[in-house]
Amino acid sequence: LRTTPVVSLLAVASLALGIGANTAIFSILNAILLRPLPVRDPQQLVMVTSSDDDTSMWPLAVWSRIRDRRLLPGGFAWFWNRFDTARGGERQFVDGIAVSGELFESLGVRPALGRLLMSADDEPVGGPDGPVAVISHRFWQRRFDGAPDVLGRSIVIERRPFTIVGVTSPEFRGLDIGLPFDVAIPLAAEAQIRSASQFGEPWVTMMGRLNPGQTAEIVTAALRAAQPEIREATNPYTVSPYRDEYLRDPFSVRAASGGASVLRHRYERPFEILLAVVGLVLLVACGNIGTLLVARTLGRRHELAVRAALGASRARLARQLLVESALLAATGVAAGALFARWCSSLVVERLSSQAFTMSLDVSPDWRVLGFTAVVGAATALLFGIAPALRAAGADPLDALKAPSPIGGGRFGFGDATVVAQLTVALVLCVLTGLFVQTFLALNSKDVGFERDRVLVVTLDASRSAVPPDERGALYDRVSESITSASGVEAAGLSAAMPGGTSAWTPWIELADGTPLPQGPNGIYGNRITAGWFRTLGTRLLEGREFDARDRAGAPKVALVNEEFVRRFLKGQRPVGQTIVHRSRPEAPGQPYRIVGLVEDAMYRFIKEEPPPTVYTPLMQMTDPLPATVYVSVRARGGSPAALSRAVAEAIGRVDHDVSLTFRRLTDQVNAQYAQERLVAAVSTFFGTLALILAALGLYGVTSYAVTRQRSEIGIRMALGAEPRHVVSMVLGRVARLIVLGLCAGIVMSLGAVRLLGSMLYGLQQRDPATLATAGGVLIIASALAAWLPARRAARMDPASVLREA
């Protein structure tokens, strides 16, 4: 290996990138899908779901009845949330979980310091020690510098003090894979957690631990026997199409050794695709290394011939070269392990957002180590078998006479390897092009508003001294104070924001009594204030926006978007028409006069087309205004993030008890396609790497062919062949390889793309432009790789070549 350092270095570098990338992606898949929870006997854990859902959340009332009737052995419940630890003003979020008192005991989690939560702590007013909390090991190190006197300190959660009584062990990160926790509080403290206090909202995840000899089917049967009573007693729906569905949907219990995870459904498919991509890159690298080693074996033909003449068997010669290949693979595995650790951490970091910090345990376990070992052994065999067979099949007398072609024929091993590399490289280039175009299509999509100039402030008035029936006046003062702040062009309030988690599906009827559909394929709504459309930059197409007249007691008005007109008004002029809105299905309808038409805009998901949407004035709500609203602030110039301090001061002058969260609207929208951004970035990197490796492989095979044909080229030139004829001869042979690679690559690309329909957006699966571009890039790279040795061949001195011969 030392005598050919360039070959050895290229082989190790290629293997490190290929094996490291495969290990990194598999490590993430292992963390999301395969790794069990670091608790006692995780194989005994089960989760309560509805039907066959991967995860399921339930109202607190359902958990209370299942717990009280002891229907779930070793049962416990929790929900993941973000807790505000600020005493006022701008929020300071930490990741938190609210857990039932049985959770830590049932899981067998041990504390690193102090004690963990117990059943006695799970009381509405707190247990013997009052409201208590447990913090995670990483939060203890990050927030308290690992101070041993952290026990007994107070931490504020949603404006309520909790006493820290313990620190969890470092390996326990929570039960929601990918979503870590910093603070754990008793589930009974949900009255202090604003978002979980609603009776009918599904927040809680329920798990249990099977007793010896017990099966998930036995627990499922017990739950279903009690289901009619539990469902009827906890049904949050009255007159609703969801009522019957809620009552019928059966309880199910499934194995849950890996905990719960909303990430599985979202990222399982993308990471499987990325694993296939990096696997193809490793194949290209193996082809390159195989070609290099065959060439090096041919350079050692005299050495191998002497060994054979001295008695070495063919099996021994093959074994020697396989051992050398194994040593290369082992070195590549060692370097790849370092690359995998860095690469997996970088990918996990890219998955994080302002909404939550992704945390996955990507440390190597027996699955990752086994995967890496298998990949290393497979690569060693893959690129080592050809030189070993070549050496074993060589005749000593022939080897001592003269070199022979690399493949032993007109289309040898090197040619076949190059065709395979070009085929795989074209497939990866096509996939990369599709993924990048998907990302660019989403990034440049017209969402119906200007995302770059708007700051979104989440305002929570639940801790304000202002009573609920006076929130309208509070919000008016907040809007006026923000509008007068320096650098602010406009401001408006809304009950929901594009790309946010809030969605409102109102009960709307047309004037003739025709009810409009609800749900994902039906109508959506939003409650806004005057100036909201101007703040976001959404165009008013007809009529007027809301203004100061549209308040409680004034005639009810509404605005609709273009999709509403197309779907429900059949293209009729909307302004002046009337719709009927009901706050609840059984409530009397209230007529709303449509006063304006606005352009379509994104509601929740950027991949979905804008749904039919009705906008009503926030200040005309008959019920108390919501405690949480979104304040959109438009900057006069520059980044809207620079307005955070001025806006916070403006709101503080009105009410310093409200909680605030700041986020740029562009960040909120961009989070919608974080998955596409990641896939595009990773596939671009490895697609480029595969293209470079394929070009290097073609360069190596062509250079070797030129070296092997030096005498023939010298004779041709001595007999009058022009340099351009030599170049044509070399490139003609290469062109055949490129054409074969392109044909095979096109066929494979069409098959691969057919499997990726759900991952693409804004383009056809069989996009001819992408296919043509990928083919053009491959041809240019291949032509450049082949032209360099062809140019060198054309510059040979015939006399020198013939003297050498």
Side-chain angles (χ1 to χ4, degrees):
L1 298 181
R2 287 197 306 268
T3 58
T4 53
V6 175
V7 173
S8 301
L9 184 61
L10 285 176
V12 170
S14 299
L15 284 173
L17 289 172
I19 294 177
N22 278 270
T23 302
I25 300 301
F26 180 80
S27 297
I28 297 175
L29 273 174
N30 177 58
I32 295 177
L33 299 176
L34 304 177
R35 187 190 294 269
L37 292 171
V39 299
R40 172 171 50 88
D41 298 328
Q43 70 279 1
Q44 295 178 350
L45 296 178
V46 292
M47 179 185 298
V48 180
T49 67
S50 58
S51 302
D52 296 322
D53 290 345
D54 181 49
T55 58
S56 185
M57 295 183 180
W58 303 89
L60 288 168
V62 173
W63 158 244
S64 298
R65 280 165 172 76
I66 290 178
R67 178 194 58 195
D68 295 342
R69 298 188 59 175
R70 302 183 182 276
L71 295 172
L72 187 61
F76 56 88
W78 85 95
F79 71 88
W80 184 93
N81 203 351
R82 302 203 77 198
F83 297 153
D84 179 17
T85 59
R87 296 182 181 275
E90 184 174 355
R91 291 180 171 183
Q92 299 174 9
F93 281 113
V94 298
D95 299 322
I97 51 175
V99 304
S100 64
E102 307 86 357
L103 183 139
F104 290 110
E105 181 181 357
S106 183
L107 292 176
V109 177
R110 301 298 180 186
L113 192 68
R115 70 172 180 86
L116 301 180
L117 299 179
M118 303 180 298
S119 298
D121 299 315
D122 197 11
E123 297 293 336
V125 295
D129 298 324
V132 295
V134 167
I135 61 175
S136 69
H137 191 275
R138 70 161 193 164
F139 188 67
W140 177 44
Q141 296 292 328
R142 187 178 72 243
R143 182 80 166 259
F144 300 98
D145 295 325
D149 62 346
V150 69
L151 301 181
R153 293 192 190 183
S154 178
I155 182 172
V156 175
I157 300 174
E158 300 294 337
R159 308 292 181 87
R160 299 298 181 99
F162 286 76
T163 302
I164 299 174
V165 296
V167 179
T168 61
S169 55
E171 64 271 9
F172 183 72
R173 304 186 179 200
L175 295 165
D176 288 277
I177 305 304
L179 302 180
F181 82 97
D182 296 320
V183 181
I185 64 173
L187 191 60
E190 58 86 17
Q192 303 172 32
I193 306 302
R194 169 184 46 82
S195 59
S197 60
Q198 301 180 36
F199 174 84
E201 289 294 329
W203 294 100
V204 174
T205 302
M206 297 184 291
M207 288 180 64
R209 179 180 291 279
L210 296 177
N211 296 319
Q214 196 174 37
T215 64
E217 289 73 18
I218 295 176
V219 180
T220 298
L223 284 174
R224 290 184 178 178
Q227 175 175 325
E229 177 189 345
I230 295 175
R231 289 283 199 181
E232 187 64 44
T234 61
N235 185 12
Y237 307 104
T238 52
V239 180
S240 168
Y242 301 113
R243 173 182 172 82
D244 294 339
E245 179 182 349
Y246 179 84
L247 295 175
R248 287 195 309 266
D249 197 11
F251 289 125
S252 296
V253 175
R254 66 168 183 83
S257 62
S261 179
V262 296
L263 302 177
R264 288 184 182 132
H265 176 71
R266 183 176 182 184
Y267 286 108
E268 179 180 1
R269 178 69 169 165
F271 277 111
E272 287 176 348
I273 292 173
L274 290 180
L275 188 61
V277 167
V278 296
L280 291 176
V281 173
L282 184 58
L283 286 178
V284 175
C286 288
N288 253 5
I289 299 169
T291 303
L292 288 172
L293 294 187
V294 167
R296 187 170 67 177
T297 301
L298 291 173
R300 298 169 58 190
R301 295 182 75 249
H302 284 75
E303 172 207 336
L304 297 174
V306 171
R307 289 178 181 271
L310 293 176
S313 66
R314 292 184 175 183
R316 180 165 183 172
L317 293 178
R319 188 167 65 248
Q320 175 184 340
L321 294 182
L322 283 176
V323 169
E324 294 173 3
S325 300
L327 180 58
L328 269 179
T331 308
V333 166
L338 299 176
F339 176 71
R341 190 60 182 255
W342 172 82
C343 184
S344 58
S345 299
L346 179 64
V347 171
V348 171
E349 182 181 337
R350 292 294 298 270
L351 291 175
S352 299
S353 66
Q354 279 190 326
F356 65 89
T357 302
M358 176 81 73
S359 177
L360 290 173
D361 184 6
V362 292
S363 60
D365 60 6
W366 67 268
R367 296 175 184 82
V368 175
L369 294 177
F371 174 84
T372 307
V374 169
V375 170
T379 54
L381 289 174
L382 195 59
F383 65 72
I385 195 71
L389 292 176
R390 177 68 189 174
D395 184 86
L397 293 178
D398 292 339
L400 291 171
K401 293 176 184 177
S404 62
I406 190 170
R410 295 186 63 185
F411 190 81
F413 171 79
D415 295 338
T417 301
V418 167
V419 172
Q421 288 177 312
L422 293 176
T423 299
V424 173
L426 180 61
V427 172
L428 292 178
C429 286
V430 170
L431 296 182
T432 297
L434 293 175
F435 291 145
V436 170
Q437 286 191 71
T438 293
F439 166 69
L440 293 177
L442 292 172
N443 191 54
S444 60
K445 181 180 179 180
D446 182 9
V447 291
F449 49 82
E450 299 178 31
R451 59 178 96 173
D452 297 327
R453 295 183 58 186
V454 178
L455 176 71
V456 180
V457 185
T458 304
L459 187 151
D460 181 5
S462 59
R463 305 294 182 228
S464 172
V466 176
D469 57 355
E470 297 181 13
R471 284 176 184 155
L474 170 65
Y475 295 157
D476 277 339
R477 295 196 302 271
V478 166
S479 182
E480 292 173 2
S481 182
I482 293 176
T483 305
S484 63
S486 175
V488 174
E489 180 177 328
L493 281 68
S494 62
M497 281 300 296
T501 57
S502 299
W504 176 41
T505 55
W507 286 277
I508 299 290
E509 299 175 2
L510 297 180
D512 59 5
T514 303
L516 302 184
Q518 278 191 305
N521 298 319
I523 192 170
Y524 283 85
N526 198 359
R527 300 181 176 98
I528 63 175
T529 64
W532 190 75
F533 288 115
R534 184 164 63 91
T535 302
L536 267 65
T538 301
R539 293 177 300 155
L540 177 70
L541 304 178
E542 185 179 346
R544 69 172 179 90
E545 292 190 42
F546 300 142
D547 54 32
R549 295 171 292 174
D550 304 316
R551 310 188 63 82
K556 305 287 187 181
V557 293
L559 287 92
V560 297
N561 68 344
E562 297 172 280
E563 181 63 19
F564 182 95
V565 175
R566 282 191 293 267
R567 190 180 300 186
F568 303 125
L569 300 183
K570 310 303 181 185
Q572 301 177 30
R573 188 170 182 268
V575 176
Q577 296 201 40
T578 300
I579 57 176
V580 178
H581 171 253
R582 299 178 188 274
S583 58
R584 293 177 299 276
E586 68 277 10
Q590 295 183 321
Y592 279 71
R593 181 173 177 271
I594 299 177
V595 296
L597 171 68
V598 294
E599 66 174 320
D600 290 337
M602 167 188 167
Y603 191 89
R604 289 190 66 185
F605 304 112
I606 194 170
K607 277 190 171 183
E608 296 179 353
E609 293 305 313
T613 310
V614 173
Y615 302 91
T616 56
L618 181 66
M619 299 303 176
Q620 287 192 337
M621 286 185 61
T622 54
D623 298 327
L625 270 60
T628 300
V629 295
Y630 301 93
V631 185
S632 301
V633 184
R634 184 181 183 88
R636 291 187 183 276
S639 173
L643 295 176
S644 298
R645 175 172 295 184
V647 171
E649 292 175 352
I651 297 176
R653 288 193 294 268
V654 177
D655 191 331
H656 63 274
D657 288 329
V658 297
S659 299
L660 307 175
T661 305
F662 297 91
R663 190 179 190 184
R664 296 189 307 164
L665 182 56
T666 185
D667 294 334
Q668 186 159 304
V669 175
N670 291 348
Q672 292 280 316
Y673 50 91
Q675 168 185 305
E676 287 76 13
R677 182 189 297 108
L678 174 68
V679 172
V682 174
S683 61
T684 297
F685 175 77
F686 288 108
T688 304
L689 177 62
L691 184 64
I692 293 174
L693 290 175
L696 288 175
L698 182 60
Y699 171 82
V701 169
T702 306
S703 295
Y704 178 80
V706 168
T707 301
R708 181 167 52 85
Q709 294 177 313
R710 279 175 58 86
S711 298
E712 176 188 346
I713 294 174
I715 293 173
R716 287 178 179 273
M717 297 183 70
L719 294 176
E722 297 289 336
R724 58 187 176 87
H725 294 146
V726 175
V727 172
S728 298
M729 180 185 70
V730 175
L731 293 183
R733 177 179 176 276
V734 171
R736 290 193 294 272
L737 300 180
I738 295 175
V739 169
L740 288 175
L742 287 175
C743 292
I746 290 173
V747 174
M748 287 189 62
S749 298
L750 294 177
V753 170
R754 191 176 301 131
L755 303 175
L756 303 177
S758 61
M759 296 286 295
L760 305 178
Y761 175 82
L763 67 162
Q764 299 176 351
Q765 293 185 18
R766 298 182 179 182
D767 185 32
T770 302
L771 198 60
T773 302
V777 170
L778 186 65
I779 290 173
I780 293 173
S782 302
L784 179 62
W787 178 77
L788 294 175
R791 180 171 174 268
R792 187 173 67 250
R795 292 185 173 184
M796 286 183 182
D797 180 12
S800 299
V801 172
L802 293 177
R803 279 196 298 271
E804 292 175 5

